[in-house]
Amino acid sequence: MTEDLVAAKQALRAEIRDRRRTMSAHERDADTAAITEHLKHLVAARGVKKLSCYLATPTEPETRPFLTWAYENNIEVLLPVTRDDGLLDWAIANDTPDENIGLFGLPEPTGELLGPIAINGVDLIIVPASAVDKKGVRMGWGRGYFDKTLGSMGKRPPVYAIVFDGEYVDSLPREVHDQPVTGVVTPSALITF
């Protein structure tokens, strides 16, 4: 059963990667603007003062305009840095985060590392995803960094995943370690479960 789940998730991730690679620049720009507005609304509605987010890869929904807005509005943002031990470290974002390419080719901030438990002080967590279903099941990219982080938190603030519209689906395969999210942000909607 587990092998079937893993294979199903791998096939779905490959399909999503292919779809994302074929998006036009115009589609990406329009989706970025819409997602940024939803994220601003989410932060304002929840009175967030400190959050964690991520630096998007070229095929992910873009987060940098939102990060710029957060900085301009005095919201502290922690950005993840991958570690060899499977954990995420965190660095504080500034107005234009200096970036490195980290493990697995992911963009990461270059600031001072705060340690894995720094995320415990945030009011909101924004995570990447390949897809999210209507029950709050999030499918990442298969390395488990965010699942480990979320699963280790004693008191977890709201967690929202960002995906494109076609990646918010009815149902996803779920393994025991997969951590649910509180909501999803797409270009068309901000949904809380």
Side-chain angles (χ1 to χ4, degrees), residues 91-144:
I92 296 174
N94 56 28
D95 60 339
T96 52
D98 292 328
E99 297 180 28
N100 257 348
I101 298 300
L103 292 177
F104 314 113
L106 299 174
E108 297 179 343
T110 59
E112 175 188 350
L113 297 179
L114 305 174
I117 64 170
I119 194 173
N120 289 331
V122 301
D123 306 315
L124 175 69
I125 300 173
I126 299 168
V127 296
S130 59
V132 176
D133 78 13
K134 294 184 177 174
K135 294 182 208 118
V137 174
R138 171 193 167 267
M139 185 171 70
W141 294 105
R143 290 192 168 61

Side-chain angles (χ1 to χ4, degrees), residues 76-95:
E76 187 174 339
V77 179
L78 299 183
L79 297 171
V81 177
T82 51
R83 297 176 12 159
D84 288 330
D85 62 4
L87 299 176
L88 290 174
D89 211 326
W90 300 92
I92 296 174
N94 56 28
D95 60 339

Side-chain angles (χ1 to χ4, degrees), residues 36 57 63 103-104 152 162 166 169 173 180 184 193:
T36 300
T57 66
T63 55
L103 292 177
F104 314 113
S152 71
I162 303 174
V169 298
V184 63
F193 303 115

